[in-house]
Amino acid sequence: MKVLVLLVLVVFTLLRNSTASLFVQGPTETVLEGDSVTLECLDLESELNMSSVHFERLSRHAQMWHRLDMYGYGYYYRRCFWYDADVSREDGRLLLMLGRVQTWSSGVYRCVSDNITDLDNSSLPFKLTVHYMREVSVNRAGANIFSHYLAPQDDLRVPLGDDVELDCSTSASETPQYSWSKEGEDWMVPSSKLKLKQLREQDSGQYTCMAQHPSVSSLIKKRTINLTVLPEDSAWYETTTGHIYLMLAAVGLVLFAIILSMTVFLCRRARRNKSKGPIDDHSQKKPIYKSSVESLPSTAGDKQPLV
């Protein structure tokens, strides 16, 4: 029994000596995008002066620690990449304030003592996670790339008897959970995809995709799509696909008209320059002598040309 107690004391002593006295205290609740966060560096043994301690952050790409209160070149590097970090020292406390945190604020932080003689002069890393969720987008599977720009995103018009597959997506700090529902119906599809086979007129209505964050229940985003099933005698251009083709045809005609106009203009310009002919180089006048017929009466007796 005494041997066991002695072994426990030895292990505790080793762990205590190998554990850093510095400690980073951060938020205990969930941090959402846009919140303000404050980290504080604490000395568990109260032996260090906080004026000789600084905060560092681990770069994701370079995997290097960067000091957050440096001046000179380091200051401009910090203001460029981590401008949201503000280090302050108040009443002997070392604080790191992050105002309106964004996704790039997530990362690993620590505090380090400037005294290099300390064997263990850094704290354990503190990981800050910022949860977020972007707006939901709904796309029709198999649609062309132009549908996102030329067709209404919340209105889908399809002919009777067609098959439709809708894909719901968003970006978040964690993979969200998706579900589909229809207004006025009591069914729900727990998936990001909704497949509707051989559409009928009663399938028309509003379909809503809901994305929920798995860890933060308050993060919920929705997107509603109005689906209209057209009757059999509808024109082809009344559908969403027909509308896209019609817009592409109009854009193509405009481009063709512009190219044709430029071609005609350049051809006429080239023809006009060609019809002018070469420049007349025989415009110089021959010299006029006194004894010649072209000369004016004069009393001078020289025969040098006047011009």
Side-chain angles (χ1 to χ4, degrees):
M1 185 66 180
K2 292 182 179 180
V3 177
L4 181 60
V5 173
L6 181 61
L7 181 60
V8 171
L9 291 176
V10 171
V11 173
F12 178 77
T13 303
L14 292 176
L15 290 176
R16 184 176 183 275
N17 292 335
S18 62
T19 304
S21 62
L22 294 176
F23 174 74
V24 177
Q25 181 179 0
T28 57
E29 299 180 353
T30 302
V31 179
L32 301 180
E33 194 175 40
D35 292 347
S36 297
V37 175
T38 300
L39 304 181
E40 182 177 2
C41 184
L42 302 175
D43 182 13
L44 300 180
E45 297 181 358
S46 302
E47 296 179 354
L48 294 176
N49 186 358
M50 283 297 128
S51 61
S52 63
V53 181
H54 63 270
F55 270 103
E56 292 182 349
R57 177 175 176 176
L58 181 64
S59 174
R60 298 181 184 178
H61 305 287
Q63 291 299 307
M64 296 176 56
W65 290 98
H66 293 278
R67 184 167 175 170
L68 296 180
D69 60 348
M70 289 183 63
Y71 292 91
Y73 173 77
Y75 172 78
Y76 294 104
Y77 181 83
R78 176 179 69 86
R79 299 307 297 177
C80 179
F81 292 95
W82 297 313
Y83 59 87
D84 56 339
D86 187 13
V87 180
S88 65
R89 305 177 187 274
E90 301 176 358
D91 301 329
R93 302 171 60 192
L94 178 60
L95 303 175
L96 174 62
M97 291 172 286
L98 304 173
R100 297 188 60 82
V101 293
Q102 302 297 322
T103 55
W104 56 82
S105 302
S106 298
V108 180
Y109 299 82
R110 72 175 183 180
C111 54
V112 181
S113 173
D114 295 331
N115 189 358
I116 60 176
T117 60
D118 294 340
L119 297 178
D120 201 359
N121 63 338
S122 63
S123 67
L124 293 176
F126 178 85
K127 185 178 181 181
L128 177 64
T129 302
V130 179
H131 293 285
Y132 68 94
M133 179 180 289
R134 301 289 181 257
E135 295 296 330
V136 175
S137 63
V138 176
N139 297 310
R140 183 178 179 181
N144 54 56
I145 191 175
F146 302 101
S147 61
H148 184 74
Y149 304 99
L150 300 179
Q153 296 300 304
D154 297 331
D155 188 19
L156 182 61
R157 304 170 66 85
V158 295
L160 187 70
D162 264 18
D163 298 336
V164 171
E165 181 178 347
L166 301 177
D167 188 9
C168 180
S169 62
T170 185
S171 59
S173 55
E174 298 180 15
T175 303
Q177 300 171 350
Y178 297 96
S179 62
W180 278 96
S181 62
K182 182 183 178 183
E183 184 181 8
E185 302 286 345
D186 56 356
W187 55 264
M188 184 184 68
V189 178
S191 174
S192 61
K193 299 182 182 296
L194 178 64
K195 297 181 180 180
L196 302 174
K197 300 289 187 179
Q198 297 181 355
L199 291 173
R200 301 166 298 175
E201 292 185 3
Q202 53 266 34
D203 292 327
S204 299
Q206 292 185 343
Y207 293 82
T208 301
C209 173
M210 183 179 69
Q212 185 173 8
H213 198 281
S215 301
V216 186
S217 58
S218 60
L219 283 180
I220 299 177
K221 298 291 184 180
K222 297 181 180 181
R223 186 68 177 268
T224 300
I225 301 296
N226 184 31
L227 176 64
T228 302
V229 181
L230 300 174
E232 293 186 46
D233 56 349
S234 299
W236 65 271
Y237 54 82
E238 295 184 14
T239 64
T240 302
T241 304
H243 176 77
I244 295 174
Y245 289 153
L246 195 62
M247 292 292 293
L248 290 175
V251 172
L253 288 176
V254 172
L255 291 177
F256 177 76
I258 294 175
I259 295 174
L260 184 62
S261 301
M262 291 297 298
T263 304
V264 172
F265 171 76
L266 293 176
C267 290
R268 290 183 176 179
R269 183 177 180 181
R271 187 180 304 171
R272 189 183 307 114
N273 293 335
K274 185 177 180 180
S275 61
K276 290 182 179 180
I279 300 177
D280 184 12
D281 294 333
H282 303 286
S283 59
Q284 288 185 337
K285 302 300 182 180
K286 62 182 181 178
I288 301 176
Y289 294 90
K290 179 180 178 183
S291 58
S292 63
V293 180
E294 294 88 353
S295 63
L296 297 176
S298 174
T299 59
D302 62 349
K303 296 183 179 181
Q304 296 296 324
L306 299 179
V307 294

